[in-house]
Amino acid sequence: MREQFELELQVLEESFLKMGHAVLEAASKALLALAAKDSDMAKLIIKEDRLINQAQLSLELSCANLLALQQPQVTDLRFVLTVMSACSDLERMGDHMAGLAKSTLNLSPSDDLDIIEEDIHLAGQKALKMLADLLYVFSKRDADKAIAIANQDEAIDKLYYKTSKDILSLMKEQTISIKNGAQYLYIIGHIERFADYISNICERLVYLETGELVELN
């Protein structure tokens, strides 16, 4: 009975990591679509977001079944609760990348600004690294590394505030249109929130390892 339960926990973790890598792929494609102004790729990201939504529902159902049909020990219970909560964060991260893709479609190509997009891509690459590092350490249950990953969010926050300020200044000076300026604000906002959710999952990983609820963001 215990062996079967441990197998189900292993499958649950593999499914969670698979969902995480799907979100990582969506984020990478979203940044590529923005850089290349690739409308076809942007539309594909929006379309495929439903797969991430479906993965969340499947994980939540698996977690509910494990809690209802098994009698998990304390550490097992923490793991199931961690996955149930973290998969919701991953789903929201996927939504933000779909939102980024929608903003990419709304940008006017004749009115883009390389200097703004450089800062946006810098923030995006930092967020991608945070998620890739988190997925690597998740199965290792490394609370210290989870805290270190969450601390990287501060650099993205600083870029968010700087870039938002720069965009607003350029809009005021009429260097870029109100339409494009608004889309750039949406885009950097999506990346900032994406990184915040990574920090949330790091908090859950610390809870999984230590049983302590901490606030890292």
Side-chain angles (χ1 to χ4, degrees):
M1 191 71 175
R2 177 64 193 178
E3 290 181 359
Q4 177 63 29
F5 182 52
E6 289 180 350
L7 178 61
E8 291 176 357
L9 291 176
Q10 181 180 344
V11 170
L12 183 67
E13 180 170 344
E14 290 172 353
S15 297
F16 173 77
L17 292 174
K18 182 178 179 181
M19 181 182 179
H21 283 289
V23 173
L24 181 62
E25 182 179 354
S28 180
K29 286 181 177 178
L31 291 174
L32 286 173
L34 173 62
K37 303 300 182 293
D38 189 331
S39 59
D40 289 337
M41 184 179 291
K43 291 175 183 176
L44 182 63
I45 294 163
I46 296 167
K47 180 180 179 181
E48 291 185 344
D49 183 49
R50 62 182 177 81
L51 300 177
I52 294 174
N53 296 340
Q54 290 171 359
Q56 180 208 3
L57 293 174
S58 178
L59 276 167
E60 288 184 341
L61 180 60
S62 296
C63 289
N65 286 337
L66 283 172
L67 293 175
L69 301 178
Q70 303 287 350
Q71 294 180 331
Q73 299 174 0
V74 173
T75 54
D76 299 330
L77 178 61
R78 285 209 302 258
F79 174 73
V80 174
L81 293 176
T82 294
V83 170
M84 181 178 285
S85 180
C87 74
S88 178
D89 289 329
L90 286 177
E91 188 274 333
R92 293 188 184 100
M93 290 162 65
D95 286 346
H96 280 293
M97 290 303 99
L100 194 158
K102 291 176 183 176
S103 288
T104 297
L105 292 174
N106 290 330
L107 283 172
S108 173
S110 61
D111 191 28
D112 56 7
L113 273 182
D114 290 342
I115 188 170
I116 293 297
E117 291 200 14
E118 285 176 6
D119 285 342
I120 287 173
H121 281 284
L122 179 58
Q125 291 302 319
K126 289 181 180 294
L128 286 179
K129 184 179 184 302
M130 283 180 69
L131 180 54
D133 289 347
L134 173 60
L135 294 174
Y136 177 75
V137 304
F138 187 87
S139 58
K140 299 180 183 299
R141 310 287 193 271
D142 194 323
D144 290 336
K145 287 185 178 178
I147 293 171
I149 292 168
N151 287 338
Q152 297 173 30
D153 185 41
E154 184 177 356
I156 296 175
D157 287 340
K158 289 180 179 178
L159 271 170
Y160 166 72
Y161 290 119
K162 173 188 177 298
T163 306
S164 297
K165 184 179 179 180
D166 290 345
I167 293 168
L168 290 170
S169 295
L170 290 169
M171 290 169 70
K172 185 176 180 180
E173 297 166 3
Q174 297 185 340
T175 304
I176 57 174
S177 67
I178 299 297
K179 176 185 175 183
N180 266 26
Q183 298 307 319
Y184 281 134
L185 287 172
Y186 293 147
I187 288 169
I188 192 65
H190 285 308
I191 293 172
E192 192 271 339
R193 290 299 297 144
F194 182 93
D196 283 346
Y197 283 119
I198 298 173
S199 294
N200 289 351
I201 299 175
C202 288
E203 292 175 1
R204 289 158 177 73
L205 185 52
V206 172
Y207 167 72
L208 174 59
E209 177 64 19
T210 67
E212 297 179 1
L213 295 172
V214 296
E215 187 170 340
L216 301 176
N217 184 16

